[in-house]
Amino acid sequence: MTPIHVVGIGLEGLAGLGATVQEIIHSATLLVGSDRHLQLIPQGGTPRLSLRDFNASFKAIQKHLETTPNPQVVILTSGDPLFYGLGRWLLEVFAPEQLTFHPHLSAVQLAFSRLKLPWQDAVICSAHGRDLAGLVPLLQRGVEKIAIYTDSEANIAAISRLYQALQLPVSYQAWVCQALGSEDEAILPWDLAQPVTTLPPVHPLNLVVLLRQPQRLPPREQPVLGLGDDQFFTFGDRPSLMTKREVRVLALAELALTSTVETVWDVGAGTGSVAVEIARLAPQATVYAIEKTAIGFQLIQRNREVFGVTNLIPIQGEAPQILSGLPQPDRVFIGGSGAQLLANLEYCWSHLRPHGRIVLAIATLEHQGQVLQWCQTHQISPHLLHVQISRSVPLGQGHRLHPLNPVTLITLTQG
């Protein structure tokens, strides 16, 4: 028998453990755990070691193993010791053959069972003793189910502030699952979008679960320029795949729209965010939003309806072939083209009206190099604007800057 047993225990104490594990605890020669865990075991004659200073505790356990005949150390921990638990540290300081693990239900299992949600596809994030930086990419990707281990700093209020600061085009239902498995257990629904001033009473042992909701855009007064990213319907599996607000505003400035512009092409329109902004700013113009994917085409139609821009015409098809037959453009925005980038650029340039403009949003160095080489071959002088934007997000009691992916705007003007 191994000399160290690591026992996961819930808030219900011994009552929640099987008979075999209870017998292991009763026959222990040393009982180790935090003060909270030790309080779950009735007092008896077994010596106890409060787990505070890990290095001192390690030395004390080693001494007990060396000086006690037939030692049996029981280390109490929460839930599953090998799931964001003490097991990782124990495997660093003890040999695996010295350890036997007895997992209990984890807080994540209990939370999803209480919410009656399958959780095989959930992503687990621990902010316990950490900041919430690891949560940012999960929210930006629009992960459907997220469970977050919290602490007094990374609590539901901090999660709400982070969510609001990111201004994401995706919404979540949130629950604070507290004191799971005890008489104080409670599942509290929470609105991440609500203003956070003071945190309501929450049990210190809690887990936050987020479940992505179908997108519903909140009605609100819209700015003339620079619509929020969260105001557009976006791809469900990639909600951040769109031209971001700050880049969009700069692209609109580079397009230099005027009252005489009649026709605009948005090639590789994605969600149609740029096309919508153009259609609002130039109501006299007809804006053609060209998108090859069926999902993108549907999103453009939905965003067109939301903003009431009847001068925006969604077109599904692959450029440059689909561009044949469209009126010559005064302005062209090329946001996404993939392998067809140069073919689209060639076609758009050859059909551009005199004094017209093309603005390309380039995300990769390879595409940037291809466009610059194309300009050199055609003896065109491009204007480059390299855009590196960071947004502030909460970090503990302060804030930090979270960078967006850099984009290069390349503007070409017809003589």
Side-chain angles (χ1 to χ4, degrees):
M1 180 177 287
T2 55
I4 304 174
H5 292 263
V6 189
V7 174
I9 190 169
L11 294 180
E12 69 275 28
L14 279 176
L17 302 177
T20 301
V21 176
Q22 288 193 34
E23 180 56 35
I24 289 172
I25 292 174
H26 290 317
S27 59
T29 58
L30 178 65
L31 196 58
V32 182
S34 68
D35 291 339
R36 180 175 67 83
H37 288 132
L38 291 174
Q39 289 173 4
L40 296 172
I41 307 300
Q43 286 288 344
T46 306
R48 297 184 172 212
L49 173 63
S50 182
L51 190 59
R52 294 173 182 170
D53 183 322
F54 279 16
N55 289 327
S57 298
F58 166 66
K59 291 178 181 178
I61 295 171
Q62 284 281 51
K63 183 178 180 181
H64 181 84
L65 294 174
E66 294 168 359
T67 60
T68 305
N70 301 316
Q72 183 169 299
V73 177
V74 172
I75 302 176
L76 301 174
T77 184
S78 296
D80 185 342
L82 295 174
F83 188 78
Y84 287 110
L86 193 61
R88 178 180 176 182
W89 174 75
L90 292 172
L91 286 168
E92 292 287 337
V93 295
F94 294 104
E97 55 269 19
Q98 291 182 282
L99 298 164
T100 299
F101 293 96
H102 304 273
H104 191 58
L105 289 174
S106 69
V108 174
Q109 289 174 286
L110 289 170
F112 279 94
S113 68
R114 301 299 193 261
L115 295 170
K116 301 177 184 178
L117 293 173
W119 67 286
Q120 71 274 357
D121 53 346
V123 176
I124 315 303
C125 173
S126 178
H128 187 79
R130 305 174 175 91
D131 58 40
L132 287 166
L135 180 60
V136 173
L138 303 182
L139 293 173
Q140 290 178 325
R141 287 188 353 240
V143 171
E144 183 179 1
K145 300 170 189 172
I146 308 173
I148 309 160
Y149 282 99
T150 65
D151 62 18
S152 59
E153 292 292 328
N155 53 30
I156 185 62
I159 293 169
S160 295
R161 285 191 288 267
L162 175 63
Y163 170 80
Q164 294 167 24
L166 290 174
Q167 300 179 26
L168 298 170
V170 62
S171 60
Y172 282 92
Q173 170 65 56
W175 294 273
V176 182
C177 307
Q178 60 180 20
L180 296 172
S182 76
E183 294 180 356
D184 297 324
E185 178 180 305
I187 308 294
L188 307 177
W190 182 271
D191 180 5
L192 289 180
Q194 70 182 349
V196 180
T197 51
T198 58
L199 183 66
V202 175
H203 194 282
L205 298 177
N206 71 81
L207 179 90
V208 172
V209 173
L210 305 182
L211 178 66
R212 194 181 69 200
Q213 300 297 293
Q215 194 172 10
R216 299 183 184 90
L217 302 184
R220 70 185 191 206
E221 187 177 5
Q222 304 294 350
V224 174
L225 173 66
L227 298 167
D229 296 344
D230 59 349
Q231 291 304 288
F232 292 97
F233 287 105
T234 63
F235 298 96
D237 59 337
R238 296 163 294 166
S240 294
L241 186 61
M242 65 186 303
T243 303
K244 303 299 188 293
R245 174 178 178 270
E246 296 83 354
V247 176
R248 201 184 319 129
V249 168
L250 290 171
L252 292 167
E254 291 297 295
L255 284 167
L257 300 168
T258 67
S259 60
T260 59
V261 169
E262 296 179 0
T263 304
V264 181
W265 295 354
D266 181 357
V267 181
T271 64
S273 62
V274 174
V276 166
E277 295 260 25
I278 295 172
R280 295 176 78 232
L281 289 172
Q284 83 286 348
T286 301
V287 183
Y288 295 92
I290 296 91
E291 171 57 36
K292 67 179 180 180
T293 69
I295 295 176
F297 175 72
Q298 293 169 2
L299 290 172
I300 296 169
Q301 289 184 312
R302 295 179 72 184
N303 286 321
R304 175 182 182 269
E305 294 171 4
V306 166
F307 292 100
V309 281
T310 56
N311 58 328
L312 191 162
I313 310 298
I315 297 176
Q316 184 181 354
E318 187 162 2
Q321 296 86 352
I322 197 66
L323 301 174
S324 176
L326 294 181
Q328 279 187 276
D330 301 286
R331 301 289 188 270
V332 177
F333 178 73
I334 301 178
S337 296
Q340 295 296 102
L341 175 62
L342 293 185
N344 288 341
L345 177 55
E346 184 75 47
Y347 188 95
C348 293
W349 182 255
S350 64
H351 288 76
L352 192 65
R353 285 181 178 174
H355 310 294
R357 281 192 172 204
I358 296 177
V359 176
L360 304 98
I362 304 297
T364 69
L365 295 174
E366 289 76 13
H367 280 170
Q368 180 176 310
Q370 290 174 17
V371 172
L372 294 180
Q373 181 62 48
W374 183 92
C375 290
Q376 185 176 13
T377 302
H378 289 73
Q379 297 184 330
I380 298 169
S381 179
H383 171 70
L384 275 69
L385 183 63
H386 186 63
V387 183
Q388 290 184 294
I389 298 290
S390 294
R391 294 173 175 171
S392 66
V393 295
L395 179 66
Q397 298 300 313
H399 291 77
R400 69 178 179 89
L401 291 174
H402 182 78
L404 304 181
N405 291 331
V407 175
T408 301
L409 296 178
I410 302 179
T411 303
L412 312 177
T413 305
Q414 253 314 359

